[in-house]
Amino acid sequence: MIKSLINKLILKDNLDEIETKEAFDEIFSGLADEITASSFITALKIKNETMDEIIAAILSSREFVNKISLGGDLNNFFESVILVSDDGYFDIKLAVDLICSANSLGVLRYTFNNCFEKNKSFELLKLMGVRFENSHNIIRDFERLNFGYFVLGADEKFYKYSNHLSRSLEFDNILKILEKMLNPYCAKNQIIGLNDKQKVEFFANIALRLNNSNTIVLSGNNSFPYVCPSGETYVAEAWKNKIFTYVLTPELLGFKEYPIVDLICSDYETNASELVLLLQNKLQGAKKDCVILNAALALYISKKANSIMDGIEIAKKTIENGSAYDKFIQIKNTYNE
């Protein structure tokens, strides 16, 4: 099946959802050899993936990873998905996760045991003294903490047949998108960060097609995949089966502008120490403001805040009254029991 579809892609013909899903099912089940799978992914990239093709690929990938059943209301879980590398910058994701968790919002993140690259947030938590290897019951820990950072095993079929293939291809490919959109917990609230504002509405419509109606897709100034501390951030909000678009700026939200270079962190050790200072309300400036702005959107899209401005006030208070730091200490103590 997949070999005939490669010929179709070479002719620049789009695939329908059934064809695309069948091709990715072959890849993730190990039925397609690496050369054939590589040729298919390359041909798809050269043609330029359509929305139907990306959706079918996501649906296929989700069938080849074990679902994590956490119970409770899925609308009370939050996941951020950054589709591009944000290494070299202060870890906004982890700080936002801690603020959200401190406000009784379940935070979900996963990584694979990956020999090709480290997951920054997981590495920083280790440097901050959180020992994931001590956890023998991740479901119990999540229920106690509203905070789940899970390491998925190499036995996951998706990972087994896509990991090496994805990283052997010398271009950004669809497999890297799929790896970050697995959503094994079926969380309904998401923020998706991109480095290309031209794709923001495209991915917002993908969210709607995936029946994930509480989603914000954004791209900041300078290709920054978060609310940016300077210039404009373009936002598409998928809500109640509609797409709403708007532009955010620090000035509009009542913040001073900072150059994006102020968010650079030279190494993981510096990042970890500054994260602790932020949680202790001892770090001011661009990093704190950027965390507050991004936490505000997470709280808003997850219905923990009535508006973005309300989310800003909640995020500020969570840092300044010590709740975010208390949450970090609770997480550290739980994993180190």
Side-chain angles (χ1 to χ4, degrees):
M1 175 67 177
I2 192 171
K3 290 182 179 179
S4 65
L5 294 178
I6 292 172
N7 293 329
K8 189 172 180 179
L9 292 172
I10 290 172
L11 295 173
K12 305 291 184 172
D13 290 338
N14 295 328
L15 307 182
D16 62 32
E17 288 192 43
I18 294 175
E19 290 173 322
T20 308
K21 188 175 183 306
E22 287 180 350
F24 279 99
D25 285 351
E26 285 189 35
I27 293 173
F28 300 141
S29 62
L31 296 176
D33 62 80
E34 187 167 331
I35 292 175
T36 301
S38 177
S39 299
F40 177 80
I41 299 298
T42 302
L44 195 61
K45 175 70 174 182
I46 292 172
K47 180 193 69 67
N48 195 17
E49 301 96 337
T50 66
M51 184 180 299
D52 285 348
E53 290 164 347
I54 292 175
I55 288 169
I58 292 171
L59 292 175
S60 173
S61 68
R62 289 179 176 181
E63 292 182 4
F64 289 88
V65 64
N66 292 323
K67 299 293 185 293
I68 300 174
S69 179
L70 298 172
D73 182 4
L74 294 176
N75 288 309
N76 199 40
F77 299 161
F78 167 75
E79 180 189 28
S80 63
V81 180
I82 307 301
L83 292 184
V84 294
S85 173
D86 62 347
D87 224 9
Y89 289 109
F90 183 72
D91 193 351
I92 296 165
K93 292 194 299 294
L94 177 51
V96 167
D97 286 351
L98 290 165
I99 290 170
C100 289
S101 181
N103 284 283
S104 301
L105 177 61
V107 171
L108 305 168
R109 194 177 300 284
Y110 60 91
T111 190
F112 291 98
N113 287 317
N114 195 328
C115 62
F116 288 89
E117 61 185 4
K118 294 181 179 180
N119 186 296
K120 181 170 65 175
S121 296
F122 284 74
E123 293 300 315
L124 291 180
L125 278 173
K126 290 178 184 177
L127 285 173
M128 294 160 71
V130 179
R131 304 301 173 198
F132 293 104
E133 63 272 17
N134 292 348
S135 176
H136 301 293
N137 190 329
I138 59 175
I139 306 302
R140 180 205 65 190
D141 291 343
F142 175 80
E143 290 174 347
R144 294 167 65 185
L145 297 168
N146 276 324
F147 187 91
Y149 267 46
F150 305 137
V151 179
L152 303 182
D155 59 338
E156 301 282 354
K157 283 190 174 181
F158 168 81
Y159 179 81
K160 181 178 180 181
Y161 293 110
S162 71
N163 182 44
H164 181 268
L165 174 62
S166 173
R167 283 148 182 90
S168 66
L169 297 170
E170 295 181 354
F171 56 86
D172 285 335
N173 57 79
I174 194 171
L175 295 175
K176 294 181 179 179
I177 294 175
L178 304 185
E179 182 177 316
K180 296 176 180 178
M181 302 236 356
L182 290 172
N183 193 9
Y185 335 93
C186 304
K188 297 297 184 184
N189 306 306
Q190 288 187 322
I191 291 182
I192 300 175
L194 308 174
N195 64 350
D196 183 356
K197 72 176 185 178
Q198 302 300 325
K199 295 181 179 179
V200 166
E201 291 182 58
F202 180 84
F203 272 88
N205 278 288
I206 286 176
L208 286 186
R209 291 274 298 275
L210 291 170
N211 297 317
N212 197 17
S213 59
N214 296 333
T215 301
I216 282 178
V217 185
L218 58 81
S219 180
N221 190 30
N222 296 311
S223 301
F224 193 57
Y226 300 93
V227 180
C228 193
S230 63
E232 296 183 343
T233 298
Y234 188 63
V235 181
E237 184 178 326
W239 186 66
K240 289 188 176 180
N241 298 316
K242 294 182 180 180
I243 303 292
F244 303 89
T245 62
Y246 47 91
V247 172
L248 298 176
T249 66
E251 182 182 14
L252 179 66
L253 298 172
F255 285 77
K256 174 185 174 182
E257 285 207 2
Y258 290 94
I260 198 166
V261 294
D262 286 3
L263 298 177
I264 291 175
C265 268
S266 57
D267 52 59
Y268 281 11
E269 288 75 14
T270 302
N271 204 329
S273 63
E274 289 190 342
L275 261 169
V276 173
L277 290 174
L278 171 74
L279 297 173
Q280 294 173 330
N281 196 30
K282 296 178 181 178
L283 186 70
Q284 306 299 321
K287 292 167 184 171
K288 179 181 178 182
D289 286 4
C290 197
V291 165
I292 290 170
L293 290 172
N294 285 276
L297 262 67
L299 294 166
Y300 162 66
I301 199 64
S302 303
K303 306 298 185 289
K304 291 293 181 180
N306 294 323
S307 66
I308 295 174
M309 296 305 296
D310 185 33
I312 287 171
E313 293 306 312
I314 294 172
K316 279 183 181 178
K317 182 178 178 180
T318 305
I319 294 173
E320 293 171 0
N321 69 9
S323 297
Y325 184 70
D326 289 345
K327 172 56 65 174
F328 163 65
I329 295 299
Q330 182 192 12
I331 292 166
K332 183 176 178 179
N333 290 341
T334 298
Y335 277 103
N336 292 353
E337 286 179 351

